[in-house]
């Protein structure tokens, strides 16, 4: 990645962030020669493992940013670097323009108490405390008095749909409900940003879908910035405004869901996304073709950002190709916006069948 | 699959090693026939050597420096005074006159009330009933004051152990570096036979409460440290990380996350420390610690089986009460925060109990009848005479059976080995044992063997050491036979495990002394009694290790062997035992250490050897030096056996076990 300056306007701005484990960890990010080595070569030559290599990205305020990769790709390490739960080896780390690398332990602790909260894969609940005391634990640490923190805990418990279970112990709850407690605990301190480390991986599929919907709802209601780690592509596509794909500690590609599916950066990403139903992710922008001369087109236009799946009915019923407009409002008459091309039955059908590569 | 599994025989079972060991034994035996009686380094029972006398002088000079050497004046003496005051304080609460009173502050009624109330508060009403009935029965046995002395010493030691041990345990739980430094020290504290450090402690701290309390601490503090460390380490990282992510300080995470989650396990550690302390308090009778141990010890030395049994029974009851209460307290910590009584009611009942207890304690402090346990209807004398006549009757009636057993083991196994060890020239024994160690354990095992044995020669106690070694080896072989049978049965069947394991656990909490008593009743004073009680003491830990090893053999391998048509016997000796060979080796290691500790104790009931010399050192001033040398020799034998068996264990192909 090129070393352009960190952006103070972003919620989070990460530049050339490294995490190396091993005896000579600090030397790896400094040495251009060691930087180049593959994971195995680095292990053999320096006895080090680079969990995160040269990560650079920005997350804007209110965005849901997903970090995705297989296990061992460094995604869980990366998300922990953001609040220095794991100490970065090198790099720059800004939160709302504030340089986190220069903060001392106490300042980082204050930041964790008030600005950034985290939800964990294995929940990390305190088994000896009731739900309400688990949720208020973060406030208790801050020194909030009991009445206030209990009141606040009850509010969040209601927010995540756990009313009636305040007096239960964690082990009396199902996995999904336990994670709601984890979510409530993270929300209790009213942080500006939420970090999720594979929060739903340990849950079964139906519960996972509920919880994803829950996160989407909370995001809509509160508009908090969220950084979400997952190994599940469909989860990433469902939740993420943008997705960062990692492999062996390095960033492979960053983009919106349709960018990843429509223009995978390499074979690795292509393999990742090949099973995704393209018509569910891609927008008309990706399948529009130039209008042929003298072609008869339908009377209406569609915005370029319409998901293909949502345009099917419209295109089929029109009976002929439909113009695709960038930025316009669409609708009958086709006012405003630049015409990108047209989409007809053929384009729709090939994208549904996933045939355009052939 | 099945053939591969069956064929994976660990390397140390290669016939080569076995043949070589047998060859060494044969050559040794042949040479023995030729060289018998030469260079056997004999030393009469009442003889001492210049070395032993110089140890005597050493002890005298330590005594004379007590009030001049700065180490004593500024450290040991303070420690001694402080410990003595603390223990005396606890004693004057429940067992001895104190605070200017002719009787302890809290009499029997108060102790029963307080014991019952605390057991109820910490563990529940079952433990409370058990505690009250148990202590009352001990009083009825006529052993109230002795029991209270034992209890006072145990409680004082446990209190100190907990106050020191839990912080150290937390430290080793949090810091790997600390764990690396402290764990070997704990290993050493636990591996040393308890007998051995009593005498040196009396040199430093005089005979009295201080040295017995420190001896008890040495023996009983390792469990609470280890288990606290383990409990802290087992708190899931996801939980501590979640706490960190919320901005908790290290102290907040420790006190609000780690300690509450580790509480239950830490209480288990306190339980083990309590049981170890009780065991050692009774053994500390050898250096004049008061209490039930004293009763048993004096009875053992005069072979008064009735009194020994009465005292032993009281120790067993005390052990059961303390074990049940502390175990239930561990389980209770979880129960109370879930299904306990509603808080208000609970406080009400507790308050009522506290008031009743306070009234009873006050009565026991005020009225003579409530202070000194009534002796009118004591059952003690009947137990003493009943057991004594039962013992005579058993020995007369079954002397046929018991003598056959005794003579079979003593004459058939012990005598030949002991003769070989004691009647061969000492250099031949050293060469032969070193060769065996080299074959079985490798270079380093051989080196420790030769070094240890040479020092033993230097200590001028060769014959006694060889007697102890012979008894230890025979007892270990027998222990392993029983341990394998029990361990395999437990490992193969969950049901057997469920039935047998509690018995083994209960066996392990009993103070070592107690084991001697029933076998003394059966077999009288002899080497055989020591060997049998050593077995009973050592079989439980060895059997548990083997059971876990057998269970560790992967199910699919056993299944594969079964599907290949192997019989149960074939599965056991061709699949499960070879694959559990590492566990077998570890069990042998454990067995050796436990057996040695107990064989030494057996020196008190006619087993002779080093144990007798140690005891003799306590009893007669002029044998102090010889006793110290015997203690050192025991440590060296233990070190040698431990090194060899550890080396064998580490050589076992780890791929054999899962």
């Amino acid at each position: 990645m090129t070393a352009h300056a960190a952006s103070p306007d972003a919620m989070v701005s990460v530049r050339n962030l490294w995490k190396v484990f091993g005896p000579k960890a600090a030397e790896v990010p400094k040495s251009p020669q060691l930087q180049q080595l593959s994971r195995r070569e680095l292990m053999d030559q320096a006895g080090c493992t680079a969990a995160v290599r040269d990560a650079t990205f920005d997350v804007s305020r209110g965005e849901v940013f997903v970090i995705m990769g297989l296990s061992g790709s460094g995604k869980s390490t990366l998300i922990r670097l953001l609040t220095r739960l794991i100490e970065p080896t090198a790099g720059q780390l800004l939160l709302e323009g504030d340089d986190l690398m220069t903060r001392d332990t106490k300042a980082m602790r204050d930041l964790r108490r008030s600005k950034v909260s985290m939800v964990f894969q294995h929940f990390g609940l305190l088994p000896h405390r009731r739900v309400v005391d688990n949720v208020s634990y973060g406030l208790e640490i801050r020194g909030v008095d009991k009445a206030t923190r209990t009141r606040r805990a009850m509010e969040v418990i209601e927010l995540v749909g756990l009313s009636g279970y305040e007096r239960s112990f964690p082990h009396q709850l199902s996995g999904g409900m336990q994670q709601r407690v984890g979510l409530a605990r993270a929300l209790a301190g009213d942080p500006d940003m939420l970090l999720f480390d594979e929060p739903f991986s340990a849950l079964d599929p139906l519960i996972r879908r509920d919880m994803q919907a829950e996160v989407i709802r909370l995001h809509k209601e509160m508009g908090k910035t969220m950084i979400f780690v997952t190994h599940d592509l469909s989860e990433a596509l469902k939740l993420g405004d943008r997705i960062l794909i990692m492999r062996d500690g390095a960033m492979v590609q960053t983009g919106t869901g349709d960018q990843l599916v429509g223009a995978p950066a390499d074979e690795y990403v292509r393999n990742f996304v090949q099973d995704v139903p393209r018509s569910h992710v891609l927008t008309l922008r990706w399948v529009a073709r130039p209008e042929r001369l003298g072609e008869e087109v339908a009377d209406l236009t569609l915005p370029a950002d319409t998901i293909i799946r949502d345009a099917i009915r419209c295109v089929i019923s029109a009976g002929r190709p439909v113009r695709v407009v960038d930025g316009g409002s669409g609708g009958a008459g086709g006012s405003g916006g630049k015409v990108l091309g047209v989409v007809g039955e053929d384009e729709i059908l090939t994208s549904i069948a996933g045939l355009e590569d052939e | 699959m099945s053939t591969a599994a069956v064929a994976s025989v660990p390397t140390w079972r290669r016939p080569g090693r076995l043949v070589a060991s047998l060859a060494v034994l044969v050559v040794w035996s042949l040479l023995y026939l030729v060289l018998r009686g030469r260079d056997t380094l004999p030393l009469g029972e009442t003889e001492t050597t210049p070395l032993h006398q110089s140890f005597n002088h050493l002890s005298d000079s330590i005594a004379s420096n007590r009030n001049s050497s700065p180490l004593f004046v500024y450290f040991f003496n303070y420690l001694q005074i402080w410990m003595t005051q603390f223990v005396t304080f606890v004693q004057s609460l429940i067992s001895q006159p104190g605070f200017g009173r002719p009787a302890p502050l809290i009499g029997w009624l108060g102790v029963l009330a307080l014991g019952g109330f605390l057991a109820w508060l910490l563990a529940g009403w079952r433990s409370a009933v058990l505690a009250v009935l148990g202590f009352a029965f001990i009083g009825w046995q006529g052993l109230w004051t002795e029991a209270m002395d034992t209890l006072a010493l145990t409680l004082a030691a446990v209190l100190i152990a907990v106050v020191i041990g839990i912080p150290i345990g937390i430290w080793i739980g949090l810091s790997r570096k600390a764990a690396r430094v402290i764990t070997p020290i704990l290993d050493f504290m636990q591996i040393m036979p308890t007998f051995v450090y009593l005498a040196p402690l009396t040199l430093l701290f005089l005979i009295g409460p201080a040295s017995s309390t420190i001896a008890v601490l040495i023996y009983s503090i390792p469990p609470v440290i280890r288990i606290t460390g383990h409990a802290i380490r087992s708190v899931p990282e996801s939980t501590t990380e979640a706490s960190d992510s919320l901005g908790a300080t290290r102290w907040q995470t420790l006190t609000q996350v780690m300690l509450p989650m580790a509480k239950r396990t830490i209480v288990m550690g306190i339980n083990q420390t309590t049981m170890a302390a009780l065991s050692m308090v009774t053994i500390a009778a050898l250096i004049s610690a008061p209490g039930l141990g004293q009763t048993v010890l004096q009875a053992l030395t005069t072979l008064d089986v009735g009194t020994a049994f009465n005292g032993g029974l009281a120790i067993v009851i005390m052990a059961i009460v303390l074990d049940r209460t502390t175990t239930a307290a561990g389980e209770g910590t979880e129960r109370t925060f879930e299904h306990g009584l509603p808080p208000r009611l609970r406080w009400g009942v507790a308050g009522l109990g506290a008031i009743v207890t306070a009234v009873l304690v006050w009565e026991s402090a005020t009225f003579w009848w409530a202070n000194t346990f009534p002796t009118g209807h004591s059952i003690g004398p009947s137990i003493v005479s009943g057991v004594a006549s039962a013992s005579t009757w058993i020995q007369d009636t079954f002397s046929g059976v018991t003598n056959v057993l005794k003579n079979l083991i003593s004459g058939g196994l012990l005598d030949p080995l002991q003769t070989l060890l004691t009647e061969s020239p000492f250099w031949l024994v050293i060469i032969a044992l070193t060769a065996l160690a080299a074959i079985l354990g490798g270079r380093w095992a051989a080196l420790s063997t030769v070094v240890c044995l040479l020092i033993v020669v230097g200590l001028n106690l060769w014959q006694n050491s060889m007697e102890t070694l012979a008894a230890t080896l025979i007892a270990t072989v027998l222990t392993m036979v029983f341990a394998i049978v029990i361990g395999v049965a437990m490992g193969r069947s969950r049901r057997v495990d469920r039935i047998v394991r509690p018995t083994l656990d209960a066996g392990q909490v009993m103070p070592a002394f107690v084991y001697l008593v029933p076998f003394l009743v059966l077999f009288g004073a002899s080497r055989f009694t020591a060997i049998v009680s050593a077995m009973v003491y050592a079989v439980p830990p060895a059997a548990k290790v083997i059971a876990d090893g057998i269970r560790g053999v992967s199910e699919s391998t056993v299944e594969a062997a079964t599907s290949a048509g192997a019989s149960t016997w074939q599965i056991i000796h061709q699949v499960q035992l070879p694959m559990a060979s590492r566990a077998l080796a570890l069990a042998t290691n454990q067995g050796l250490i436990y057996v040695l500790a107990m064989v030494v104790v057996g020196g008190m009931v006619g087993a002779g050897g080093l144990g007798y010399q140690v005891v003799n050192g306590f009893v007669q001033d002029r044998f102090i030096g010889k006793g110290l040398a015997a203690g050192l020799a025991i440590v060296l034998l233990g070190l040698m056996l431990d090194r060899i068996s550890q080396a064998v264990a580490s050589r076992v192909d780890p791929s054999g076990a899962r």
Side-chain angles (χ1 to χ4, degrees):
Chain A
M1 295 286 143
T2 49
H4 47 93
S7 150
D9 300 329
M11 184 76 190
V12 176
S13 187
V14 172
R15 291 293 174 275
N16 311 104
L17 201 62
W18 283 80
K19 178 63 201 182
V20 185
F21 294 102
K24 290 188 281 183
E27 292 168 28
V28 178
K30 289 181 206 148
S31 147
Q33 176 204 343
L34 286 176
Q35 280 189 20
Q36 302 301 320
L37 297 180
S38 76
R39 170 162 290 204
R40 166 157 299 177
E41 290 165 342
L42 190 61
M43 193 66 206
D44 291 344
Q45 293 188 19
C48 292
T49 315
V52 173
R53 301 163 163 261
D54 203 17
T56 294
F57 59 88
D58 290 326
V59 179
S60 356
R61 200 175 299 275
E63 183 178 12
V64 179
F65 187 79
V66 174
I67 303 171
M68 208 190 79
L70 301 178
S71 54
S73 62
K75 54 190 191 303
S76 289
T77 308
L78 177 55
I79 200 171
R80 282 168 174 72
L81 297 181
L82 300 180
T83 53
R84 287 173 56 194
L85 275 180
I86 295 178
E87 202 55 48
T89 311
Q92 230 188 328
L93 182 57
L94 299 192
L95 183 83
E96 296 183 302
D98 187 3
D99 187 354
L100 296 189
M101 297 301 285
T102 57
R103 286 194 170 206
D104 62 10
T105 320
K106 189 180 173 304
M108 280 315 295
R109 215 153 48 214
D110 289 341
L111 176 124
R112 291 179 203 141
R113 287 179 180 191
S114 56
K115 290 212 156 171
V116 188
S117 290
M118 191 157 171
V119 180
F120 295 89
Q121 178 176 9
H122 296 295
F123 321 143
L125 302 178
L126 307 178
H128 55 286
R129 289 171 165 236
R130 296 174 195 279
V131 166
V132 59
D133 299 321
N134 260 290
V135 172
S136 60
Y137 177 65
L139 301 171
E140 188 181 337
I141 282 172
R142 288 194 212 172
V144 177
D145 69 272
K146 189 165 169 87
T148 315
R149 64 179 193 246
T150 306
R151 194 165 354 104
R152 173 65 187 155
M154 294 308 230
E155 280 170 30
V156 233
I157 287 171
E158 191 178 343
L159 187 69
V160 299
L162 272 180
S163 298
Y165 293 98
E166 302 85 359
R167 307 283 300 156
S168 303
F169 283 96
H171 70 90
Q172 297 167 327
L173 305 179
S174 69
M177 286 158 80
Q178 290 191 31
Q179 193 56 295
R180 282 172 199 264
V181 179
L183 193 56
R185 180 177 63 188
L187 290 171
D190 196 22
D192 300 339
M193 180 163 78
L194 285 167
L195 307 179
F196 296 84
D197 180 28
E198 300 205 38
F200 310 141
S201 307
L203 306 179
D204 54 51
L206 290 179
I207 311 268
R208 193 181 311 162
R209 207 165 62 195
D210 285 352
M211 293 300 292
Q212 288 162 353
E214 190 75 25
V215 167
I216 292 170
R217 179 178 73 83
L218 288 171
H219 183 245
K220 276 197 186 123
E221 283 177 19
M222 307 178 146
K224 291 188 193 300
T225 312
M226 294 181 175
I227 300 184
F228 199 104
V229 164
T230 181
H231 62 251
D232 176 0
L233 182 67
S234 67
E235 187 166 84
L237 292 169
K238 194 186 268 181
L239 299 175
D241 294 325
R242 281 187 309 142
I243 298 166
L244 158 63
I245 295 192
M246 290 184 75
R247 177 195 190 183
D248 284 352
M251 298 170 52
V252 182
Q253 187 174 6
T254 312
T256 57
D258 60 330
Q259 282 169 346
L260 297 182
V261 174
D266 64 3
E267 202 53 32
Y268 181 74
V269 181
R270 196 186 311 279
N271 276 335
F272 240 121
V273 299
Q274 70 178 1
D275 290 332
V276 175
R278 305 171 63 83
S279 59
H280 292 196
V281 179
L282 294 187
T283 53
L284 295 180
R285 182 192 306 279
W286 294 92
V287 291
R289 59 166 169 80
E291 197 176 330
R292 294 187 194 107
L293 271 176
E295 193 174 15
E296 271 191 65
V297 297
D299 203 15
L300 74 171
T301 64
L302 285 168
D305 291 336
T306 315
I307 306 280
I308 296 173
R309 182 172 54 172
D310 302 334
I312 297 174
R313 186 181 297 265
C314 186
V315 173
I316 304 281
S317 65
R320 42 186 116 151
V322 177
R323 282 205 176 105
V324 176
V325 218
D326 195 10
S329 55
S335 60
K338 187 180 139 223
V339 176
L340 293 180
V342 295
V343 172
E345 277 181 38
D346 276 356
E347 283 75 29
I348 297 278
L349 289 175
T350 40
S351 77
I352 291 174
L355 297 173
E356 38 314 50
D357 292 342
E358 282 144 49
Chain B
M1 172 69 205
S2 71
T3 50
V6 173
S8 72
V9 175
T11 46
W12 74 285
R13 300 186 116 246
R14 276 203 312 248
R17 292 232 172 92
L18 223 60
V19 171
S21 313
L22 281 177
V24 170
L25 285 175
V26 169
V27 173
W28 180 9
S29 309
L30 291 176
L31 284 174
Y32 156 78
L33 290 177
V34 184
L35 300 166
R36 170 168 40 179
R38 266 190 243 173
D39 299 333
T40 55
L41 308 179
L43 183 71
E45 202 73 17
T46 54
E47 287 177 69
T48 53
T49 67
L51 178 87
H52 301 157
Q53 283 144 25
S54 72
F55 279 169
N56 272 351
H57 294 314
L58 183 73
S59 114
D60 291 344
S61 75
I62 289 177
S64 61
N65 275 325
R66 191 174 303 283
N67 294 318
S68 53
S69 155
L71 195 60
F72 274 96
V73 174
Y74 295 108
F75 182 66
F76 287 137
N77 290 358
Y78 271 111
L79 203 58
Q80 190 240 332
I81 291 167
W82 188 83
M83 286 270 183
T84 308
Q85 280 178 343
F86 180 62
V87 173
T88 314
F89 169 75
V90 180
Q91 276 183 307
S92 51
L93 285 180
I94 56 173
S95 67
Q96 296 294 332
F99 307 117
R101 297 159 46 94
L105 185 64
I106 305 173
W108 64 271
L109 190 64
V111 171
L112 287 187
L114 211 54
F117 178 64
L118 286 177
W120 174 76
L121 209 59
L122 296 171
W125 64 271
R126 277 198 196 91
S127 300
V129 170
L130 184 72
V132 171
L133 290 184
F135 282 145
F137 185 81
I138 294 176
W140 198 29
Q141 284 181 285
L143 293 169
W144 182 260
T145 307
E146 289 85 348
M148 286 307 106
D149 271 329
T150 297
L151 187 65
L153 257 57
T154 307
L155 290 182
V158 169
L159 212 64
I160 301 174
V162 165
V163 168
I164 302 176
I166 288 182
I168 297 181
I170 292 171
W171 187 38
I172 68 169
L174 294 175
S175 150
R176 268 176 203 290
K177 230 179 267 170
R180 259 203 305 277
V181 176
I182 292 183
T183 310
I185 301 177
L186 299 181
D187 288 343
F188 185 69
M189 285 161 84
Q190 283 189 305
I191 214 172
M192 249 194 325
T194 49
F195 244 45
V196 168
Y197 42 84
L198 292 177
L201 284 175
T202 58
L203 291 185
L204 296 179
F205 300 102
L206 301 172
I207 285 209
S211 44
S212 27
T213 307
I214 289 171
V216 173
L217 277 178
I218 292 176
Y219 183 65
S220 64
I221 208 172
V224 74
I225 297 180
R226 266 181 217 278
I227 293 175
T228 302
H230 168 75
I232 294 289
R233 264 191 301 274
S234 335
V235 172
E237 215 198 322
S238 62
T239 316
T240 53
E241 192 180 35
S243 181
D244 291 344
S245 84
L246 290 163
T249 59
R250 267 172 75 93
W251 178 251
Q252 283 172 325
T253 303
L254 178 67
T255 53
Q256 301 191 34
V257 178
M258 298 177 120
L259 284 180
M261 287 178 77
K263 189 162 78 179
R264 193 159 167 235
T265 315
I266 293 176
V267 174
M268 264 171 55
I270 297 176
N271 164 267
Q272 290 205 11
T273 284
T274 311
M275 302 325 288
L278 176 63
S279 170
M280 194 64 190
V281 163
T282 57
I283 291 177
L286 283 167
I287 49 173
S288 302
L292 294 167
Q294 204 57 253
T295 311
V296 176
L297 177 70
Q298 276 164 15
L300 284 180
T301 44
T302 55
L303 301 182
D304 174 358
V305 285
T307 308
F309 185 89
N310 197 33
L313 184 62
I315 295 175
V316 170
I317 292 171
M318 172 110 41
I320 292 174
V321 169
L322 290 179
D323 184 43
R324 281 321 307 159
T325 310
T326 44
T327 307
E331 288 155 4
T333 51
E334 206 165 49
R335 193 201 53 207
T336 47
F337 65 64
E338 274 170 44
H339 326 287
L341 293 169
R344 192 162 301 179
L345 193 59
R346 205 178 151 76
W347 284 114
V349 176
L352 199 68
I355 293 166
V356 172
T357 306
V359 169
L360 292 179
V361 168
W362 175 80
E363 280 193 28
S364 80
T366 316
F367 302 113
W368 193 253
W369 65 267
N371 191 293
T372 305
F373 202 91
T375 48
H377 308 284
S378 174
I379 197 182
S382 346
I383 294 181
V384 172
S385 60
V387 170
S389 47
S391 166
T392 317
W393 181 79
I394 288 172
Q395 282 178 26
D396 290 348
T397 316
F398 297 106
S399 62
V401 186
T402 53
N403 280 342
V404 166
L405 241 179
K406 193 152 101 179
N407 295 337
L408 203 71
I409 304 285
S410 303
L413 289 171
L414 188 55
D415 285 339
L417 183 64
Q418 187 171 328
T419 315
L420 187 65
L421 284 166
T422 53
E423 296 296 309
S424 300
F426 76 92
W427 46 267
L428 179 60
V429 175
I430 294 179
I431 292 171
L433 290 180
T434 308
L436 285 173
I439 292 165
L440 295 173
R443 208 154 11 130
W444 291 108
L447 185 68
S448 9
T449 305
V450 76
V451 170
C452 287
L453 288 177
L454 283 175
I455 303 178
V456 167
V457 171
L459 289 170
N460 302 335
L461 285 165
W462 180 254
Q463 290 272 330
N464 285 323
S465 305
M466 289 304 108
E467 284 165 19
T468 297
L469 183 61
T472 304
L473 291 176
I474 295 298
T476 306
V477 170
L478 294 173
T479 296
M480 288 311 291
V481 170
F482 280 91
I484 288 173
V485 171
I486 297 174
V488 167
M490 281 168 72
R492 288 175 55 87
S493 151
R494 291 250 166 226
R495 232 177 63 203
V496 174
D497 190 283
R498 255 205 312 280
I499 297 167
V500 175
R501 196 174 280 264
T503 321
L504 298 185
D505 289 342
Q508 274 189 288
V509 304
M510 291 303 150
F513 257 20
V514 173
Y515 289 97
L516 288 175
V517 177
F519 300 107
L520 198 62
V521 173
L522 283 175
F523 303 115
S526 69
R527 290 176 303 173
F528 184 65
T529 303
I531 287 181
V532 178
S533 35
M535 276 170 54
V536 175
Y537 187 56
V539 164
K544 281 201 267 187
V545 173
I546 293 173
D548 293 342
I550 294 283
R551 190 157 304 133
V553 173
S554 89
E555 215 133 281
S556 57
T557 313
V558 176
E559 211 172 23
T562 315
S563 73
S567 67
T568 307
W569 169 243
Q570 283 173 324
I571 289 176
I572 292 177
H573 87 108
Q574 290 181 342
V575 181
Q576 290 180 315
L577 280 181
M579 289 185 74
S581 52
R582 195 183 189 75
L584 282 181
L586 285 175
T588 313
N589 174 266
Q590 291 258 301
L592 275 170
I593 299 305
Y594 274 74
V595 163
L596 177 64
M598 195 65 196
V599 163
V600 173
V601 177
M604 293 191 315
V605 290
L610 294 171
Y612 174 78
Q613 301 299 345
V614 173
V615 177
N616 212 22
F618 293 128
V619 181
Q620 302 186 54
D621 272 351
R622 66 193 186 92
F623 291 122
I624 287 180
K626 203 174 178 185
L628 286 174
L632 273 177
I634 292 170
V635 173
L636 289 163
L637 285 185
L639 213 59
M640 177 184 92
L641 293 171
D642 182 55
R643 287 296 101 200
I644 297 176
S645 51
Q646 290 268 15
V648 173
S650 68
R651 275 188 159 199
V652 173
D653 181 8
S655 70
R658 194 170 59 180

